[in-house]
């Protein structure tokens, strides 16, 4: 591969603010990569309630992140959420998701929507009050754009640190698992191996505690990059096992794991 794996996986970031905010049943499905089924649980109210519609759109955008498919359905769900948004806060959250979808589409080379991503996140920043919890996710996503579209990891670090501090204060462990990963990846680029290993270890620990199965294989592989043998081999073997268990998800792990991972039989 031409680039370190830690620089690529989940450069899209989480689709939601905290696993604890998912309705009963939704997190269990989402964490195992069953986004279609999770979105179906929200479908009844998703056409009339702004919050439910946005949550459904987030799920379907996250499906795009891990599968590189389902773009039209995610777009339709997001348009519904945008149409139902009636307050500045709701419009700001919807704009943040618009930025996310455009960013993912650009990153996975489906269409170049970089300008749309930047514009949408800028609109979200203008609509969301400075102290709102939604700022944690917004800061994180603005950091992603700086790091991976502007190719400026050093410039992204302050945004990730703000997002990490806010996520920590909110008790948002899922978002913390992402901020730890991205801060660790920047540390690795700078040759700070001990700091990188700490960040990747913390990210993996949080995902395992949350039961975020779909996000565990990439966390294992990232930690393997900075782990000594035989620990690195053990981490990669576990990543391969989970990758097969998840039916070849995330799709972008295929090249990383190479011959150690196969598509396997899809489950749930």
């Amino acid at each position: 591969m031409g680039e370190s794996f830690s620089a690529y996986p989940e450069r899209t970031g989480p689709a939601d603010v905290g696993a604890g905010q998912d309705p009963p049943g939704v997190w269990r499905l989402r964490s195992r990569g069953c986004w279609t089924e999770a979105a179906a649980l929200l479908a009844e109210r998703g056409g009339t309630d702004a919050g439910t519609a946005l949550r459904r759109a987030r799920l379907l955008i996250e499906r795009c992140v891990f599968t590189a498919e389902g773009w039209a359905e995610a777009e339709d769900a997001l348009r519904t959420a945008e149409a139902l948004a009636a307050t500045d806060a709701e419009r700001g959250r919807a704009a943040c998701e618009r930025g996310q979808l455009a960013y993912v589409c650009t990153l996975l080379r489906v269409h170049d929507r970089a300008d749309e991503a930047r514009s949408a996140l800028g609109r979200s920043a203008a609509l969301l009050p400075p102290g709102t919890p939604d700022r944690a996710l917004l800061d994180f996503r603005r950091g992603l754009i700086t790091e991976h579209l502007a190719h400026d990891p050093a410039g992204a670090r302050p945004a990730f640190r703000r997002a990490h501090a806010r996520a920590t204060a909110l008790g948002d462990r899922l978002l913390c698992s992402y901020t730890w990963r991205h801060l660790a990846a920047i540390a690795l680029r700078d040759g700070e191996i001990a700091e990188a290993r700490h960040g990747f270890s913390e990210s993996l620990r949080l995902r395992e505690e949350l039961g975020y199965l779909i996000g565990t294989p990439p966390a294992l592989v990232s930690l393997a990059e900075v782990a000594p043998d035989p620990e690195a081999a053990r981490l990669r073997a576990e990543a391969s096992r989970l990758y097969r268990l998840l039916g070849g998800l995330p799709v972008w792990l295929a090249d990383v794991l190479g011959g150690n991972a196969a598509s396997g039989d899809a489950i749930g």
Side-chain angles (χ1 to χ4, degrees):
M1 290 182 61
E3 60 178 333
S4 170
F5 172 73
S6 60
Y8 184 78
E10 296 162 38
R11 290 190 293 195
T12 46
D16 203 356
V17 182
Q21 294 187 16
D22 281 321
V26 171
W27 171 250
R28 180 178 58 82
L29 291 166
R30 173 191 172 194
S31 65
R32 288 157 175 76
C34 303
W35 300 280
T36 302
E37 294 85 348
L41 295 180
L42 304 176
E44 184 175 345
R45 296 183 60 208
T48 57
D49 178 75
T52 304
L54 185 64
R55 190 172 298 280
R56 185 171 181 274
R58 285 170 169 170
L59 285 169
L60 295 174
I61 292 169
E62 186 172 80
R63 182 179 66 179
C64 295
V65 170
F66 286 91
T67 69
E69 296 177 347
W71 304 98
E73 189 175 1
E75 186 73 44
D76 288 345
L78 181 54
R79 286 189 185 127
T80 297
E82 289 169 333
L84 290 171
T87 67
D88 280 351
E90 289 171 347
R91 284 188 284 269
R93 295 183 197 111
C96 190
E97 297 311 315
R98 171 61 61 189
Q100 170 76 345
L101 182 58
Y103 169 74
V104 174
C105 193
T106 303
L107 190 72
L108 298 183
R109 297 181 176 89
V110 179
H111 297 292
D112 185 350
R113 297 169 60 179
D115 289 343
E116 180 186 354
R118 294 186 181 96
S119 176
L121 292 187
R123 187 164 65 253
S124 179
L127 289 166
L128 294 174
T132 183
D134 299 289
R135 282 276 176 171
L137 185 61
L138 176 60
D139 280 340
F140 180 73
R141 288 176 173 172
R142 296 181 91 176
L144 292 175
I145 285 182
T146 301
E147 183 180 9
H148 298 294
L149 297 190
H151 307 291
D152 182 10
R157 196 195 305 256
F160 290 145
R161 285 178 171 163
R162 286 194 304 273
H164 186 76
R166 285 173 167 165
T168 300
L170 290 167
D172 187 343
R173 293 187 294 161
L174 180 60
L175 183 53
C176 281
S177 82
Y178 280 90
T179 54
W180 271 123
R181 279 174 58 71
H182 284 268
L183 289 169
I186 293 173
L188 181 58
R189 289 189 190 96
D190 292 343
E192 299 166 359
I193 305 301
E195 183 178 342
R197 179 164 186 170
H198 175 69
F200 288 138
S201 295
E202 285 297 294
S203 178
L204 176 60
R205 177 184 64 81
L206 288 169
R207 293 183 180 197
E208 289 179 336
E209 288 178 357
L210 288 167
Y212 190 46
L213 188 64
I214 192 69
T216 300
L220 287 163
V221 177
S222 287
L223 182 56
E225 283 195 32
V226 292
D229 287 326
E231 182 186 358
R234 179 188 64 78
L235 291 166
R236 285 185 175 272
E238 178 62 7
S240 294
R241 185 187 72 81
L242 291 178
Y243 174 85
R244 292 192 297 269
L245 181 70
L246 291 162
L249 293 177
V251 293
W252 30 261
L253 269 182
D255 290 340
V256 176
L257 294 173
N260 294 321
S263 60
D265 295 328
I267 60 166

